[in-house]
Amino acid sequence: DALRGIALTGDVLRVGAAVTYLELRRSAAVLERAPLLARMSQDIGAIQIQARGTLGGNLATASPAADGVAALAAYDATIVVRSVRGERRIPFRDLQTGYKRGARAPDEVIVAVEIALPPAGSPWAWRKVGTRRAQAISKVALAGVAVADGGRLVRLGLGMASVAPVTALLPSVRALATSKPLSELTAAELDAAVDADVSPIDDVRSTREYRAHCARAVVRGFLRELGARV
C-alpha cells in the first residue's frame, strides 16, 4: 500500500510505483492535469496487462522500448527511490546509464514518480507505431509535452521508445524547436535533428530504416500540430 496512490499537490503529481495503468487511465487528476499519462496507459499491452502493470515495473526493467518510461521522459519526471540508507530523488535525465542499466542502487526500491506539471491545457502528444493496436511492443513511440508563449516553445519535453539503447530524450530536437518560432522550422532541419538523436537497430520487430523513418515522421507531425495551435 505504501507504493500506491495518486496525489496532486499544487502543480506536482506524485504517482506511486505500484499504481496500475488501469488506475492511471481512470484517475480524474491524471486525466485533467497529465492527460499524456492517461492516453499512454490505454496502449500498454491490453486490459489484462493494464490491470497489473505499473510505472514502477516499467522503470525497473529499464527497457528502451518501454512506453510508460517514454511518457515520464517527456514530463522530465523525478524518480523517488528508497533503501535502508534513506530516500533520494533521481532526475530522469540521470536515471538511465546504458542498455537496461540505471542509476538505482541494487538495494533501492522505486517508491514513486513525481512530475512538475506544465500549465493545465498545455499541448501534448502520444504516438505509438506497432504491429497491432494491443499486445504489441512499440516499433517507435513518441511522447511529447510542450509549453508555448507567443508562437515559440518555452518548454518541450520529449521521450522516444525503441530507437536507442535507452529511452531517447531527443536533445537536438528539443534545442532546435525552442531556438526559434515554430513557423520557421523546416522539415529538413527537424529530420537532421532526429537523426542526430536516435540510433535504431534491426531486430525481430522492425528495421533500422523503418524506425528512423517513423521517428522523423512522428516528430514532424507533433511539431506541425504545435505550430497550428500556438
Side-chain angles (χ1 to χ4, degrees), residues 151-156 171-186 189-190 193 223:
R152 296 187 67 149
L153 297 181
V154 295
R155 172 180 170 182
L156 178 63
S172 300
V173 177
R174 293 188 188 207
L176 173 64
T178 55
S179 68
K180 55 185 175 181
L182 289 170
S183 60
E184 296 180 10
L185 297 175
T186 67
E189 60 188 356
L190 278 174
L223 292 174

Side-chain angles (χ1 to χ4, degrees), residues 59-64 92-104 164-167:
L59 286 164
T61 58
S63 168
F92 189 91
R93 64 181 178 274
D94 298 329
L95 181 68
Q96 299 178 328
T97 59
Y99 179 67
K100 294 194 173 183
R101 299 196 308 272
R104 181 169 59 97
V166 298
T167 303

Side-chain angles (χ1 to χ4, degrees), residues 185-201:
L185 297 175
T186 67
E189 60 188 356
L190 278 174
D191 286 352
V194 173
D195 288 344
D197 288 339
V198 304
S199 52
I201 61 172

